[in-house]
Amino acid sequence: MSTLRTRTAPIRLGTRRSALAQAQSGHVAAALEKITGHAVELVPITSEGDTNRASLSEIGGQGIFATRLREALFAGECDFLVHSLKDLPTAIPDGLVIAATPRREDARDVAITRGGTPLHALRAGSRVGTGSPRRMAQVHRRAPHAEVVDIRGNVDSRLQRVASGELEAVILAAAGLSRLGSDSPLRREELGLAEWPTAPGQGSLAVETRTDAPADLLAALAALDDHDTRVAVTAERAVLEGLDAGCQAPMAAHAVVEGGDIRVRAVVYASDGGRRIGLDVTEPLNGEYIRRNGSGNGADAADGAPPMHAARAIGLSVAHRLLDQGAADLVSREHPSS
């Protein structure tokens, strides 16, 4: 591979073909162009998740949006990738590295309706669309008299199903709407994270490349990284990893860095929303948690663990506590973790 200093061709960014994927990749491309002074070219790649129209609850959990992109990266078809972090398996293949997690957008979900009726106030039998088992369980809890409809499709097609009256509401990620610049006349209800936590990594992007990429490319990508975002999503993804439940499990995890501490909220749901097991913990990121709980090696305990190490240990501990409280009865565990 040539270095950035010697190359004349654009830096190639591999991305899914969807409008949302290309919009969020475009934001990363523009930021990287400012850092490097080099043009960045989007390389659209079709993933299995874009062509397989089966329910995500049936085909999800094994990196269906990431596998083809990673094959293209290994094959030299592009120089780096941009993923929606919530779609990325927790196990990173040998030879790849998440070089950056840019600052997170709004992590909330939103309910989209025609008239602005809150989700909990929808009339009995109202049809609410989502393809996420986690959101399905949450809709069952928030609007138990509604009918949940398993849907696929891009953001525009989902909005159209509400506008046409086919559905009374759909649940979407606030970050996706923001990145697309959606100006739909439909009404939106922001769903607060305290009562409606979202998927690990929601609102975050993962910038991934090969471990043998040129050092100056790795350095340029690292400049896109937001420290607090990376710490938070490290904890969230560790909860998912510890549950060993897969990307499409009915679970949520959201973390926030507050000064020298990290607060992690995690919930596992029964698929019908009838039962939930949750935890809300705040722990220090300075290694005190690891020293107190005996995690990590002696050097970590003596010198104060790096925040990423502490965040991962805290996330795994939250997962184990959820399992101890019966979460294993609510999720289908799968291998490899994703």
Side-chain angles (χ1 to χ4, degrees):
M1 292 185 184
S2 63
T3 68
L4 296 182
R5 291 183 297 276
T6 60
R7 69 182 296 154
T8 57
I11 304 169
R12 299 164 301 163
L13 190 171
T15 177
R16 290 173 55 201
R17 292 181 177 272
S18 72
L20 175 56
Q22 296 206 44
Q24 62 194 24
S25 293
H27 290 303
V28 173
L32 188 63
E33 287 177 341
K34 289 182 179 179
I35 291 169
T36 65
H38 285 267
V40 178
E41 173 188 20
L42 298 189
V43 179
I45 299 166
T46 301
S47 72
E48 179 189 353
D50 297 313
T51 57
N52 190 330
R53 307 318 297 170
S55 167
L56 284 179
S57 61
E58 297 174 3
I59 62 174
Q62 297 295 330
I64 61 167
F65 295 115
T67 301
R68 173 67 188 101
L69 274 69
R70 286 170 162 172
E71 290 172 351
L73 182 59
F74 277 125
E77 298 172 28
C78 54
D79 301 305
F80 72 104
L81 305 171
V82 171
H83 307 276
S84 292
L85 190 57
K86 70 175 182 177
D87 297 329
L88 201 61
T90 56
I92 305 300
D94 290 342
L96 298 182
V97 62
I98 296 179
T101 52
R103 184 175 181 179
R104 178 166 15 204
E105 291 270 357
D106 191 339
R108 294 176 296 178
D109 278 343
V110 295
I112 304 294
T113 60
R114 287 185 302 283
T117 302
L119 196 60
H120 73 272
L122 290 175
R123 66 182 185 277
S126 294
R127 291 162 57 85
V128 180
T130 177
S132 157
R134 184 260 309 167
R135 289 172 175 158
M136 291 177 182
Q138 290 172 317
V139 171
H140 283 308
R141 293 185 65 84
R142 179 71 67 94
H145 301 298
E147 176 188 351
V148 180
V149 180
D150 189 350
I151 63 172
R152 292 289 308 275
N154 60 34
V155 171
D156 286 342
S157 69
R158 297 185 189 209
L159 294 176
Q160 180 55 39
R161 294 175 77 169
V162 175
S164 70
E166 178 186 349
L167 301 172
E168 275 67 48
V170 293
I171 311 299
L172 299 171
L177 293 172
S178 174
R179 289 176 178 136
L180 280 171
S182 175
D183 58 356
S184 169
L186 298 173
R187 306 290 292 276
R188 53 188 287 172
E189 174 193 2
E190 280 81 12
L191 303 170
L193 290 166
E195 291 300 321
W196 189 287
T198 50
Q202 180 155 317
S204 301
L205 301 178
V207 179
E208 186 175 52
T209 191
R210 290 165 52 163
T211 53
D212 64 355
D216 48 1
L217 176 59
L218 289 168
L221 295 177
L224 301 171
D225 195 61
D226 180 78
H227 178 269
D228 285 358
T229 295
R230 184 178 280 263
V231 172
V233 300
T234 294
E236 294 165 16
R237 284 165 59 77
V239 177
L240 181 61
E241 177 188 352
L243 290 174
D244 195 19
C247 298
Q248 290 298 314
M251 62 80 62
H254 182 71
V256 178
V257 176
E258 302 171 330
D261 296 337
I262 186 169
R263 181 177 183 180
V264 183
R265 299 183 183 94
V267 183
V268 178
Y269 299 91
S271 59
D272 63 0
R275 183 182 173 204
R276 69 188 290 276
I277 299 172
L279 283 175
D280 185 341
V281 303
T282 300
E283 296 286 357
L285 284 167
N286 61 6
E288 176 59 32
Y289 172 85
I290 291 176
R291 287 192 292 271
R292 189 172 69 241
N293 292 276
S295 304
N297 58 38
D300 291 328
D303 300 334
M308 303 305 167
H309 187 114
R312 183 171 183 273
I314 292 165
L316 289 172
S317 173
V318 167
H320 296 157
R321 291 168 62 184
L322 289 169
L323 291 171
D324 287 344
Q325 293 179 30
D329 297 332
L330 304 184
V331 296
S332 299
R333 308 182 79 185
E334 66 185 35
H335 302 275
S337 176
S338 61

